[in-house]
Amino acid sequence: MKHSIIFLWLAIISFEIQAVTPENISIHGKVINVENESVAGASVTVPNSRLGVNTNANGEYFLNGLPAGKVSIRVSFIGYEAKVVNVDLQEGTNEMDFTLERGVVTLDFVTVTAQQREQQMLDIPITMSSVSAQMLENANVRNLEQLADFIPGLSIRTQTPHRPNIAIRGLTSDETSPTAQPRVSVYMDNVPTSRASMAVTELYDMERVEVMKGPQGTLFGRGSQIGAINFITKKPTADFGGYVSVETGNYGLREFEGAINMPVIENKLMARASGIYSYQDGYIKNTSGGRLNGKNTIGGRFSARYLPIHNLKIDLVVNYQKDDNPGTAFMSQRYPNVNGVSDIFQYEASLDAGKDFFNKRSVFGSMVDAKYYFNENNYLSYITSYYTNTVDHHYDGDGSIAPAIDMSEFVDANQFTQELRYNFSLNSRLNGFVGASYWREDVDYTIWFGPDEQYMSYLLLQMPQYMINGDGTLGYPMPGLPNDPQLGPLAGMPLPANHEEEMNTGAINQSTDFFIDASYLLLPRLSFTAGIRGTFESFKTTTEARMIGTTPSTLGMLLGNYPNFFFKERTLQAVKRDFWSMTYRANLKYDISPSSNVFLGYAKGRRPNVLQFNSAGEHEVMNAESVHSFDVGFKWTAKQRYWFDVGIFYQLYNDFQTSKWDNANYLVDDAGRATSYGAELTAKAALTNYLEVFGNYAYIHARFDDTDSEGSKQEYAGKTFRQTPENSFMIGLNAKAKLSRDLQVIFTPTYSWRSHIWFEDSNEMQPEDPSLARLEQDAYGLLHANLAFKFNKPNLTLSVFACNLLGEQYVIGAGNTGMMFGVPTYVPGAPRMFGAKLNWRF
């Protein structure tokens, strides 16, 4: 397949270059709306021909290869009335601007850049979704979990801000190994922030969020094996303006957010600054003191745009976010809290007394994006970025008052990227890009473990019932190992209460990529899109483990890890490997009409090899995971009021990389072959000026195959991918009413529902006691609502909102570290929350 794609593109490019003649007739201009705003991504075509382009970020287009004389030019963008104009073309370059008008009743659509150029969603032959700034505001989307409800096939769960669980089409990306790369790429303004500890971001001052499903290697690089999420922030404009908002609610919620846009030098230099402060007490009370599962976040962003000459644009974006959150409530259902309550949905935990649990994280990044335009549709882009990230996370691994499993994680990571890309349009028939990029990541990951072995011993010796009394109070410590002859010379040996140890793993990950991706109009209604990316990767990982202090572990003698308990002591070790790979895609799109099409596609995705060390200090090199994905889809829009799209996919996995606990290491394991298939659909309708309805649905059947490539039965045969609901949907509406000339009310309720999920690929219940809660979540639904009162003079919006209005009880995580010792922990989802928000725009 890859050789066919390369040969085909070389043939097409050669043909189009030869077709360029000196006497080419062309036309260029700009597409705007009646408010004099540029319409980026609009389709500009010559009906019944193979000529067509999309307007660039400035709303400009360039069509060439045209015949002399009268030619019809059609301009369209979803949400606007299409316009067809007859133009009498002269030799050389002609000029024509277009103004599009909205219909009386229209949907709100945005420009997307999924194919690294401005387009409308109708033109893109892949399954994707986009959430606009207007929708984020109307629905008062507060976090990534709520955002995921608007995207069929996307699931996001966040136990801690440094380890979100992001899944597209059932494939999860939350691993922490320094060399394990994501399956879902997360981008901020086209810059990768895909390491799990960098991925979570506050949704303030956003332009839109784009989600592409299926392998996106040629478009977004090596980390997008099964999809990509791109957060597009608002950029500076030539107008002065901004907004300020304040928010309050239950659980001590208080939030301040704002942005200001300033022209510095007229039509040359403009800047935008925005920020957020968000605080909320934890919704879990810790009887030992303090709250858990809360939030304390501050974020800031500065953007500047410089236009030194008419065809050069330079964007600078600087981002900062700091989380200083309380700890995560990893709660036991085996043990009650000190008040004798075992129900975790009483939202009261009893974690270790006298200890401070927390989630601290910082992300700082800067990006420069320079574009030099040769003409409106041919330009050179240079992007460079640098991101740093730190994490300090302290947690109670056993979920009880006992000091058995006390752990911390530390992360120090930085990423540097450079990309040079040339976007081209040859004869207005072949539109795409070609380029190269370099990426480097330095990661330092440390796990600290400080057990009280006088309580840990109950878990290790399989006597968990003695660690906590039936009323939830702390049991008696075990001062020494039992005088059991089976323990030999270890019988009766004292158990320490203050042993400490740590393991450090580092990595230097590098890649150099070369890529090309383009669409070619084969016939007036038939286009072919294909791309290929070659990647050279270099991974180096190191490890060392040591005891801290002077108190060795007694239990470590039983495990063979003395003087440590978990991590066998070892001096610095290193392993390095280089890999070469290729990913590619090919799609056909047929336009049934100017407002509907069908597409068929194939793509190969790849997750790189993983270098890792097990608890014994032995290095392992896991095979790269690959997926062959087949997609067919249909997109339709009508009267600027209706939108419908559906995508059906079938995916085959080889060397599936699952995760499992190896002592205290959460390692990657090869689970063999797997298959997933399903469907995703989205529908929107503007029924009147005052009522819009929307919804989506996803069906995902994701299972491990019965046998591997050699015909042997697999360990996880028939098991469901973790964190994957087979069915999910969301429905919602925007209802508006004009109460007076200067006052409008907008009501936006949404209801999302997900079917049963497992939290581990093994699909197992807690093995020691089948009567305990299993590592799964039954089907549940969440109702959110936002009621906004919008005033014209002054431009104020007062809104009241509620999340989980029905008070649904559900868990967002299960198993965790305690599962290794028969005491899995569970993290309850947020209860009903409500508040009010005041926003002023100027």
Side-chain angles (χ1 to χ4, degrees):
M1 172 64 77
K2 62 187 177 186
H3 298 298
S4 300
I5 293 174
I6 293 172
F7 176 78
L8 185 57
W9 274 137
L10 289 175
I12 290 174
I13 292 171
S14 298
F15 175 79
E16 289 301 320
I17 289 175
Q18 291 174 18
V20 177
T21 60
E23 51 277 359
N24 248 352
I25 297 173
S26 62
I27 185 172
H28 73 117
K30 191 169 186 176
V31 179
I32 60 174
N33 59 23
V34 293
E35 288 83 26
N36 202 33
E37 300 168 329
S38 300
V39 181
S43 296
V44 183
T45 61
V46 177
N48 301 315
S49 79
R50 295 190 297 137
L51 301 176
V53 295
N54 293 94
T55 57
N56 62 24
N58 303 317
E60 300 163 338
Y61 72 94
F62 180 82
L63 274 172
N64 68 341
L66 299 165
K70 288 187 177 180
V71 174
S72 294
I73 306 292
R74 185 179 191 273
V75 181
S76 63
F77 191 86
I78 302 173
Y80 293 92
E81 299 282 358
K83 178 170 286 189
V84 179
V85 175
N86 293 320
V87 183
D88 191 4
L89 296 179
Q90 306 299 316
E91 292 290 337
T93 301
N94 298 261
E95 187 171 347
M96 171 68 72
D97 294 336
F98 295 87
T99 300
L100 298 182
E101 298 179 0
R102 287 189 177 274
V104 178
V105 181
T106 63
L107 286 169
D108 176 39
F109 281 94
V110 295
T111 301
V112 293
T113 54
Q115 295 192 134
Q116 303 299 338
R117 61 186 184 273
E118 290 74 16
Q119 293 178 281
Q120 53 183 332
M121 284 182 55
L122 188 66
D123 296 333
I124 299 177
I126 61 175
T127 306
M128 68 165 296
S129 301
S130 178
V131 182
S132 67
Q134 189 63 58
M135 180 58 77
L136 293 174
E137 178 182 342
N138 287 345
N140 193 39
V141 176
R142 304 181 50 77
N143 51 50
L144 299 185
E145 289 85 346
Q146 284 181 256
L147 172 69
D149 292 341
F150 290 82
I151 314 295
L154 173 65
S155 173
I156 300 178
R157 293 168 177 266
T158 307
Q159 291 189 148
T160 65
H162 73 285
R163 195 182 291 182
N165 182 288
I166 303 174
I168 289 181
R169 292 182 172 177
L171 210 55
T172 305
S173 188
D174 67 348
E175 288 75 12
T176 58
S177 170
T179 62
Q181 300 303 306
R183 289 166 164 143
V184 178
S185 273
V186 177
Y187 277 69
M188 179 69 74
D189 292 317
N190 292 309
V191 168
T193 57
S194 298
R195 176 152 295 277
S197 55
M198 293 184 184
V200 172
T201 185
E202 290 293 305
L203 297 173
Y204 67 97
D205 206 32
M206 285 285 166
E207 183 69 34
R208 65 186 182 276
V209 182
E210 299 179 11
V211 180
M212 286 61 66
K213 285 163 277 187
Q216 304 298 329
T218 62
L219 297 176
F220 284 90
R222 49 193 295 284
S224 52
Q225 178 201 7
I226 207 62
I229 303 174
N230 195 8
F231 295 96
I232 310 295
T233 63
K234 290 190 175 179
K235 302 301 186 297
T237 64
D239 301 316
F240 176 80
Y243 70 92
V244 176
S245 70
V246 294
E247 189 171 310
T248 186
N250 63 339
Y251 294 100
L253 170 65
R254 53 185 182 270
E255 184 171 292
F256 305 91
E257 180 184 334
I260 184 168
N261 190 92
M262 301 169 292
V264 180
I265 302 174
E266 186 176 3
N267 297 325
K268 286 289 184 182
L269 179 63
M270 50 214 76
R272 186 178 186 92
S274 57
I276 188 171
Y277 169 72
S278 183
Y279 175 89
Q280 190 164 34
D281 293 331
Y283 58 85
I284 306 288
K285 177 185 176 182
N286 186 6
T287 61
S288 300
R291 311 286 298 189
L292 303 165
N293 289 24
K295 183 178 182 183
N296 184 16
T297 295
I298 186 170
R301 182 179 306 123
F302 174 79
S303 305
R305 173 164 290 175
Y306 181 45
L307 307 171
I309 53 178
H310 75 281
N311 60 341
L312 176 61
K313 178 174 69 175
I314 303 173
D315 283 333
L316 167 70
V317 180
V318 179
N319 273 299
Y320 176 73
Q321 182 169 320
K322 181 180 180 181
D323 304 310
D324 192 3
N325 300 347
T328 300
F330 294 107
M331 300 173 67
S332 173
Q333 293 201 49
R334 174 187 286 274
Y335 300 121
N337 62 26
V338 295
N339 295 320
V341 178
S342 298
D343 182 5
I344 64 173
F345 294 110
Q346 295 300 311
Y347 304 106
E348 190 174 79
S350 292
L351 305 188
D352 298 4
K355 294 180 179 176
D356 181 23
F357 299 107
F358 50 79
N359 288 294
K360 298 182 179 181
R361 183 185 75 120
S362 68
V363 179
F364 174 82
S366 58
M367 179 272 288
V368 174
D369 181 359
K371 286 184 170 63
Y372 182 83
Y373 291 86
F374 298 97
N375 61 40
E376 289 81 353
N377 291 106
N378 291 266
Y379 54 90
L380 191 66
S381 298
Y382 172 74
I383 301 175
T384 185
S385 71
Y386 181 74
Y387 267 76
T388 64
N389 166 229
T390 61
V391 170
D392 188 357
H393 173 218
H394 185 203
Y395 65 100
D396 182 341
D398 55 80
S400 74
I401 195 68
I405 306 176
D406 189 12
M407 302 194 76
S408 290
E409 292 178 290
F410 308 92
V411 177
D412 188 355
N414 60 72
Q415 291 185 354
F416 171 74
T417 61
Q418 284 190 318
E419 180 176 289
L420 184 65
R421 184 176 70 244
Y422 178 65
N423 281 68
F424 58 83
S425 177
L426 290 178
N427 286 338
S428 301
R429 284 195 294 266
L430 179 64
N431 300 285
F433 62 89
V434 61
S437 64
Y438 172 76
W439 170 85
R440 175 179 170 127
E441 177 183 57
D442 293 74
V443 186
D444 186 81
Y445 177 57
T446 299
I447 303 178
W448 173 89
F449 181 49
D452 182 336
E453 294 196 4
Q454 297 183 4
Y455 288 94
M456 173 61 83
S457 56
Y458 289 119
L459 302 180
L460 188 66
L461 300 177
Q462 299 185 12
M463 298 185 292
Q465 66 273 21
Y466 298 111
M467 189 172 79
I468 301 293
N469 298 320
D471 60 0
T473 57
L474 189 62
Y476 289 106
M478 184 187 297
L481 288 173
N483 287 308
D484 186 337
Q486 294 183 359
L487 296 176
L490 300 181
M493 182 170 287
L495 290 167
N498 58 347
H499 168 71
E500 295 182 60
E501 61 188 74
E502 70 177 17
M503 182 184 70
N504 173 266
T505 306
I508 299 176
N509 306 316
Q510 300 179 79
S511 73
T512 302
D513 291 29
F514 302 92
F515 49 83
I516 181 173
D517 190 279
S519 298
Y520 183 67
L521 282 165
L522 297 170
L523 298 169
R525 292 190 178 189
L526 182 65
S527 62
F528 172 69
T529 299
I532 191 164
R533 179 180 291 255
T535 302
F536 175 77
E537 298 163 320
S538 177
F539 296 153
K540 178 183 179 181
T541 185
T542 61
T543 186
E544 59 182 331
R546 59 182 177 273
M547 181 181 74
I548 301 174
T550 58
T551 306
S553 166
T554 297
L555 296 178
M557 297 180 186
L558 296 175
L559 299 172
N561 292 331
Y562 183 84
N564 285 344
F565 177 93
F566 261 145
F567 313 118
K568 192 168 185 177
E569 221 175 22
R570 52 186 177 270
T571 56
L572 185 66
Q573 301 176 45
V575 60
K576 182 178 182 297
R577 293 289 188 277
D578 297 332
F579 306 98
W580 165 258
S581 65
M582 298 190 80
T583 55
Y584 35 86
R585 69 167 182 149
N587 301 71
L588 282 173
K589 178 172 73 75
Y590 178 75
D591 294 326
I592 302 171
S593 72
S595 58
S596 64
N597 63 61
V598 293
F599 64 87
L600 176 69
Y602 162 79
K604 179 191 175 184
R606 175 184 177 273
R607 192 187 195 197
N609 305 70
V610 176
L611 277 61
Q612 61 186 13
F613 291 90
N614 60 27
S615 294
E618 301 163 335
H619 80 264
E620 302 171 338
V621 180
M622 308 305 298
N623 291 335
E625 176 183 286
S626 64
V627 57
H628 297 274
S629 178
F630 304 87
D631 284 73
V632 60
F634 170 71
K635 297 182 181 183
W636 171 82
T637 183
K639 300 180 180 179
Q640 296 83 50
R641 299 173 56 178
Y642 305 101
W643 170 269
F644 176 81
D645 71 76
V646 60
I648 300 171
F649 64 89
Y650 183 78
Q651 296 172 334
L652 301 172
Y653 296 90
N654 292 307
D655 298 307
F656 191 98
Q657 295 175 1
T658 187
S659 298
K660 59 170 56 177
W661 287 100
D662 171 52
N663 287 337
N665 288 348
Y666 197 49
L667 296 181
V668 174
D669 189 40
D670 190 337
R673 298 195 308 177
T675 302
S676 70
Y677 56 84
E680 299 149 337
L681 66 87
T682 301
K684 303 176 186 178
L687 302 180
T688 70
N689 272 331
Y690 301 100
L691 181 61
E692 177 184 329
V693 295
F694 52 87
N696 63 64
Y697 168 76
Y699 169 74
I700 303 173
H701 184 278
R703 303 284 191 275
F704 292 96
D705 292 354
D706 291 335
T707 59
D708 61 20
S709 56
E710 297 178 354
S712 302
K713 184 175 176 62
Q714 298 191 141
E715 179 183 358
Y716 291 162
K719 304 293 186 182
T720 300
F721 291 5
R722 63 192 177 107
Q723 304 276 12
T724 303
E726 189 162 82
N727 294 277
S728 61
F729 71 83
M730 188 272 285
I731 55 174
L733 61 87
N734 281 322
K736 304 175 184 179
K738 210 163 189 178
L739 302 184
S740 70
R741 180 174 153 184
D742 293 320
L743 176 59
Q744 184 183 52
V745 61
I746 304 174
F747 180 53
T748 309
T750 61
Y751 180 77
S752 61
W753 182 89
R754 297 175 187 272
S755 61
H756 170 277
I757 64 169
W758 292 98
F759 286 104
E760 297 293 335
D761 285 333
S762 58
N763 294 182
E764 291 179 356
M765 67 180 77
Q766 201 279 334
E768 298 296 328
D769 187 350
S771 66
L772 295 179
R774 302 201 297 179
L775 306 181
E776 58 183 331
Q777 167 63 54
D778 289 331
Y780 69 97
L782 298 176
L783 175 63
H784 307 310
N786 189 57
L787 180 64
F789 298 87
K790 301 191 76 169
F791 300 85
N792 288 335
K793 297 179 181 180
N795 194 349
L796 289 174
T797 301
L798 174 64
S799 57
V800 291
F801 62 87
C803 302
N804 191 7
L805 195 57
L806 302 180
E808 186 74 73
Q809 296 178 349
Y810 62 102
V811 296
I812 59 175
N816 305 306
T817 310
M819 187 172 65
M820 292 187 293
F821 300 97
V823 286
T825 57
Y826 304 80
V827 181
R832 183 185 298 111
M833 293 184 175
F834 53 85
K837 182 176 183 178
L838 182 64
N839 181 286
W840 173 50
R841 294 189 178 277
F842 57 89

